[in-house]
Amino acid sequence: MNLGKWICIALLVCLGLGCYPAPAQAHGFQTSYLELREQPSGQVEVVWKTPSAMSFGDEGLSSPMTISPVFPSHCTGVTVPKVMATPTTRITRWTLDCGKNGLAEETIAFPGLLQSSLEVLLRVEWADGHSQTTMVPTGEETFVIPEKTTVFAVGQTYLKLGVEHIFSGIDHLLFVLGLVLIVGPSWRLVKTITAFTLAHSITLGAATLGLVNVPQAPVEAVIALSILFLASELAHSRQGKPGLTEQYPWLVALTFGLLHGFGFAGALAEVGLPPQDIPPALLFFNVGVELGQLAFVLVVVAVMESLKRFGSENYPRWLGWVPTYSIGILASFWCFQRVAAFWG
């Protein structure tokens, strides 16, 4: 295993450590979320969920969250907004009265959205029982709420959510990274990633459709343990002691893939599925996850291959352990953090 490969992976791990605060629940979306629940009386229950802080412009400057949705003039407040804040999230709830005109085909504005790094996910539950989930187009500060969405629009929204989720889930990416490091660029890697994909697709679908119900907090803790297991396997591999993953990578990927699927389902549960379009929404979310995962694997493999020309004879051997210990330390931290989260 050449040093160029290890240096490449070390940089990727360090990037993850620097860019992600390692939250207890690593599977989640970093977008703002607006939920509207229309009542038969014409009143609308509003939930506005945003990060506690956001960045502006190319400088990445952090600022307290100030963006709020502005509703049509015929909508009047019924209750005073109630705010609940956590270290990472700010949730505001209130009720509007939009009368007989309602909100269908009406415009909502988001002043200041263009200057921020935020995207807004909008979920509407109409009084007649049907619901829809759409993403406010990037670069827009206003959005017309459609009365109904097409299957294409649903697929586009959930495809984007799937891609965004995989790139925001650093724990999932570290697991895939461990598989790539142990198996290496080969046909075995293709079979391993395929097994992982099939496994988490099964549990994602089963959990999302309500066929299986598993508490999310313990799942997140065991996902961290799965990454720690791969770090241990990676250490054994460097010592010339092939472990279970090196001998049967597809089996390990299949087993832990079932577990990671429950993690994906927990994130998807935050958004929900439109009842009338469950099959395409679930399908495209899963496709988005797979596209993001495939892109990550291809980038890692491409960089590894491009660095093969560098030899390791002129470098100290301890550098090769940097990725192993980086992955292991971060996974250990997550284990303690997530166990404490659901036991405390």
Side-chain angles (χ1 to χ4, degrees):
M1 196 173 290
N2 64 70
L3 185 65
K5 174 180 179 179
W6 283 109
I7 293 176
C8 160
I9 303 306
L11 291 175
L12 289 172
V13 172
C14 291
L15 178 62
L17 288 170
C19 296
Y20 292 85
Q25 297 296 108
H27 290 272
F29 294 105
Q30 302 302 310
T31 57
S32 289
Y33 176 65
L34 177 62
E35 180 179 272
L36 306 174
R37 294 183 178 181
E38 184 184 52
Q39 306 300 316
S41 62
Q43 292 189 350
V44 179
E45 297 177 0
V46 182
V47 178
W48 175 236
K49 179 179 177 182
T50 61
S52 297
M54 60 183 176
S55 59
F56 286 88
D58 297 331
E59 295 83 3
L61 300 176
S62 179
S63 172
M65 173 57 63
T66 57
I67 293 177
S68 294
V70 177
F71 293 90
S73 58
H74 68 273
C75 294
T76 57
V78 176
T79 62
V80 176
K82 296 181 179 180
V83 180
M84 182 180 71
T86 71
T88 59
T89 306
R90 179 184 175 92
I91 303 175
T92 308
R93 301 175 183 270
W94 70 99
T95 302
L96 297 173
D97 189 344
C98 296
K100 62 180 181 180
N101 291 331
L103 284 173
E105 305 301 331
E106 296 290 343
T107 300
I108 297 180
F110 301 91
L113 189 62
L114 287 177
Q115 289 73 40
S116 75
S117 59
L118 290 174
E119 291 183 309
V120 176
L121 182 67
L122 172 64
R123 176 176 171 80
V124 184
E125 294 186 11
W126 299 105
D128 63 5
H130 82 278
S131 64
Q132 60 193 58
T133 303
T134 55
M135 188 77 74
V136 175
T138 303
E140 300 287 341
E141 287 191 341
T142 60
F143 182 69
V144 177
I145 303 176
E147 187 171 4
K148 291 186 177 181
T149 54
T150 64
V151 173
F152 175 78
V154 171
Q156 188 178 38
T157 296
Y158 280 87
L159 180 71
K160 186 175 182 180
L161 287 175
V163 173
E164 289 182 350
H165 174 61
I166 192 63
F167 284 115
S168 67
I170 184 63
D171 53 352
H172 173 76
L173 292 181
L174 282 184
F175 184 86
V176 174
L177 192 59
L179 290 176
V180 176
L181 279 174
I182 293 173
V183 180
S186 63
W187 177 242
R188 294 180 76 215
L189 178 61
V190 174
K191 292 189 289 186
T192 300
I193 296 300
T194 300
F196 187 62
T197 295
L198 289 176
H200 68 64
S201 297
I202 291 171
T203 47
L204 169 61
T208 303
L209 296 175
L211 302 177
V212 181
N213 185 19
V214 179
Q216 192 65 19
V219 166
E220 296 288 347
V222 181
I223 285 175
L225 280 174
S226 73
I227 304 168
L228 186 59
F229 170 79
L230 281 191
S232 174
E233 292 281 275
L234 200 52
H236 290 151
S237 179
R238 273 198 55 78
Q239 294 172 334
K241 303 173 183 178
L244 181 65
T245 306
E246 194 166 350
Q247 298 179 58
Y248 307 102
W250 66 269
L251 179 60
V252 172
L254 185 70
T255 302
F256 286 120
L258 295 172
L259 179 68
H260 281 248
F262 289 120
F264 292 139
L268 187 55
E270 296 179 12
V271 179
L273 293 171
Q276 70 281 6
D277 291 312
I278 287 178
L282 183 58
L283 171 64
F284 279 96
F285 179 81
N286 201 47
V287 169
V289 168
E290 301 319 321
L291 289 176
Q293 177 179 279
L294 179 61
F296 177 76
V297 171
L298 290 177
V299 168
V300 173
V301 170
V303 175
M304 286 164 54
E305 290 297 306
S306 68
L307 292 175
K308 274 187 175 180
R309 70 189 67 166
F310 298 101
S312 59
E313 59 275 0
N314 297 323
Y315 298 92
R317 287 179 53 83
W318 62 264
L319 280 177
W321 287 93
V322 171
T324 304
Y325 281 110
S326 298
I327 296 174
I329 290 171
L330 184 53
S332 299
F333 172 73
W334 277 336
C335 285
F336 286 112
Q337 185 187 41
R338 296 176 186 183
V339 168
F342 71 81
W343 269 356

